[in-house]
Amino acid sequence: MADEQTRHDDGGGVATASDSLSVTDNRTGESYEIEISDGTVKAMDFRQIKVSEDDFGLMTYDPAFTNTASCRSAITYIDGEAGVLEHRGYPIEQLCEHSSYLEVAYLLIYGELPTREQLDEWVFEITHHTFVHENIKKFVEGFRYDAHPMGMLLATTGALSTFYPDAKNIDEDAERHMAAVRLIAKMPTLAAFAYRHNLGLPYVYPDNDLSYPGNFLSMMFKMTEVKYEPDPRLEKALDVLWILHADHEQNCSTSAVRSVGSSQVDPYSAVAAGVAALYGPLHGGANEAVLRMLDQIGTTENIPDFLEGVKKREEKLMGFGHRVYKNYDPRARVIKEHVDAVFEVTGRNPKLDIAVELEKRALDDEFFVERKLYPNVDFYSGLIYEALNLPPDLFTVMFAIPRTSGWIAQWREMQEDPETKIARPRQIYTGGREKDYVPIDQREKLTDKPSAETSLIDPGKG
Ligand code: SDX
């Protein structure tokens, strides 16, 4: 048990007796002092609370970790009530105005803004690692023509681990650095290869003369021209979008990277776990789902009926709501400011009118207001991606590219954290106990597992 005067490792003052919980177990009448530090109590401090010597002791129960801190981190700060987002203490609005995605990636990973020399070296390294092994093309060609690009990105990201076996030396800083450079450099190449495969177009190799976003646009859209010349307004818009998507503290995919990475697997495999988690429609897949939702609504006249459907739980208002933000997602606000700049180049996306009216009506509706549901980062981003002529199933790939730097930063921080151990949660067991085996001829049918003939097999999918 912590004594009364306990120094915290957060650099704060000495704890006083008031920095604790006094807990009484009414089953036994026993009382316990549980230390409070950094606004938390340690779950393990509850294990001492038992009803008998052979009692395992109390655990905490928190499915989805809605109120559980899994780590200490200095990378991203979010104030959900105030709608504040900072990376290493720098407000996202200032980074979008003054910085670049690669500079923010450096900031996330190495903890401070780079000097001019450090940034030039960082950009040079990334620019010169954008190629992937030629064998990667064989993996991509093994997919159906209509394979979802997130499925292809998931596979090819994991496959990278087989080309860089030394990345298993996760304690070597040089290996950690090279994994960061290679992952950040190659994600746009893997994404563009997946896109070109879907269209049956030849792959476009990286062009080292172009910026990071410019090179991505070239690998995506270059056709017969000798040299692709990206529109600087689109380069800037992409760069800002990628800054906005770079990191977001312990979100679902970052938690996946940390959990998988805690087994000390190589960083490519850990990041592949992040790609898999981001793929889900409740997470990174929401930007694609927003566009499909806007298509389903069709016109602003249909918005009232759609919102009634949401309130009856028949629909979800995709791109709205957030586990942490109970205010306007600051990233959505910045994206909305950049929408018009993109439309100057691409032409206006008429779905913006539906999105703006949908937001207005939702924010005027008690159902959404009382649940503190506001637009999140995914609500407007898809409109820009669609205006860039990207297909909806590539939108989440556009999220995965920049989130790679956040995943790598969080993975490194975890590796350097002395408190890190392999992630292995407990459970509340609800199943049967100590059953005797039943010979098969004495069993009665107790389960209704769907048999093959009842499961829908789409003949087109084989
Ligand atoms: C991202 O964590 C991160 O930081 C993620 C992210 C990042 O950068 O990594 O910010 C990126 O994933 C953004 C979120 C993208 N997802 C969506 O837009 C999908 C739609 N949103 C919802 O599914 C939902 O809001 C979540 C998943 C984002 C958050 O869900 P929570 O925190 O578990 O909240 P909840 O489901 O408990 O909802 C609370 C209430 C419920 O109503 P009641 O049952 O209490 O009456 O709000 C309702 C929910 O039904 N609700 C919604 C809603 N979101 C929540 N109702 C309708 N539409 C919605 N979008």
Side-chain angles (χ1 to χ4, degrees), residues 170-460:
I170 58 175
D171 293 328
E172 293 176 23
D173 206 47
E175 286 300 335
R176 290 180 186 174
H177 174 76
M178 278 319 300
V181 168
R182 286 178 171 135
L183 277 161
I184 293 170
K186 298 177 194 302
M187 283 304 237
T189 309
L190 297 176
F193 278 19
Y195 172 72
R196 302 287 286 202
H197 173 71
N198 281 150
L199 295 185
L201 289 172
Y203 303 119
V204 175
Y205 285 99
D207 179 343
N208 289 352
D209 295 339
L210 299 175
S211 70
Y212 186 77
N215 174 50
F216 174 70
L217 291 169
S218 170
M219 293 191 291
M220 290 284 292
F221 300 124
K222 183 174 180 294
M223 300 303 278
T224 58
E225 65 273 40
V226 174
K227 192 164 183 70
Y228 183 84
E229 293 180 11
D231 185 305
R233 292 167 295 181
L234 298 187
E235 282 183 278
K236 176 62 180 169
L238 260 189
D239 208 56
V240 169
L241 277 169
W242 286 350
I243 290 173
L244 290 165
H245 286 82
D247 189 64
H248 213 241
E249 59 137 281
Q250 305 312 314
N251 58 83
C252 179
S253 55
T254 296
S255 301
V257 170
R258 280 181 171 261
S259 180
V260 168
S262 73
S263 72
Q264 298 191 352
V265 74
D266 70 273
Y268 300 95
S269 303
V271 166
V275 174
L278 192 73
Y279 195 173
L282 293 188
H283 190 13
N287 53 19
E288 175 181 348
V290 167
L291 258 291
R292 299 192 193 288
M293 174 184 74
L294 296 176
D295 285 336
Q296 174 197 338
I297 293 171
T299 67
T300 50
E301 288 70 35
N302 295 337
I303 289 175
D305 286 349
F306 176 78
L307 289 179
E308 284 311 307
V310 172
K311 291 189 267 188
K312 290 178 194 150
R313 304 304 197 264
E314 295 159 1
E315 309 275 358
K316 262 194 187 297
L317 182 51
M318 300 309 278
F320 255 68
H322 200 278
R323 174 63 54 77
V324 177
Y325 288 125
K326 301 309 173 189
N327 200 322
Y328 211 103
D329 184 332
R331 301 169 296 174
R333 202 185 304 282
V334 175
I335 290 173
K336 198 174 172 184
E337 290 162 8
H338 277 76
V339 163
D340 291 336
V342 172
F343 289 174
E344 268 178 32
V345 181
T346 61
R348 181 177 172 73
N349 188 333
K351 290 173 194 164
L352 175 64
D353 300 329
I354 302 174
V356 168
E357 183 63 16
L358 188 57
E359 172 191 334
K360 179 177 173 300
R361 290 191 181 231
L363 296 186
D364 284 343
D365 188 310
E366 199 45 41
F367 176 90
F368 300 95
V369 173
E370 69 186 19
R371 289 169 177 78
K372 297 186 177 181
L373 301 178
Y374 292 86
N376 59 49
V377 67
D378 293 306
F379 190 64
Y380 286 105
S381 54
L383 289 168
I384 292 181
Y385 297 143
E386 187 175 62
L388 291 173
N389 285 323
L390 298 179
D393 62 8
L394 206 83
F395 291 2
T396 308
V397 171
M398 298 299 285
F399 195 148
I401 291 172
R403 186 52 58 90
T404 297
S405 55
W407 289 331
I408 278 287
Q410 298 274 351
W411 173 83
R412 280 178 64 97
E413 185 177 66
M414 177 191 67
Q415 297 302 340
E416 291 159 4
D417 184 342
E419 287 188 305
T420 293
K421 295 176 73 172
I422 187 168
R424 203 275 184 225
R426 296 285 183 159
Q427 64 176 14
I428 296 174
Y429 180 67
T430 58
R433 291 290 319 280
E434 297 173 348
K435 292 180 173 180
D436 293 325
Y437 185 79
V438 179
I440 194 160
D441 57 1
Q442 296 173 28
R443 295 172 200 163
E444 53 184 296
K445 185 178 177 187
L446 296 174
T447 55
D448 286 324
K449 185 175 72 63
S451 54
E453 60 270 10
T454 57
S455 58
L456 295 175
I457 296 174
D458 173 349

Side-chain angles (χ1 to χ4, degrees), residues 125-136:
E125 281 191 291
I126 287 169
T127 301
H128 293 83
H129 281 85
T130 47
F131 273 67
V132 293
H133 192 291
E134 281 290 284
N135 286 2
I136 292 275

Side-chain angles (χ1 to χ4, degrees), residues 91-100 236 240 243 334 338:
I92 192 68
E93 295 82 2
Q94 290 192 35
L95 293 172
C96 287
E97 187 176 346
H98 303 298
S99 189
S100 67
K236 176 62 180 169
V240 169
I243 290 173
V334 175
H338 277 76

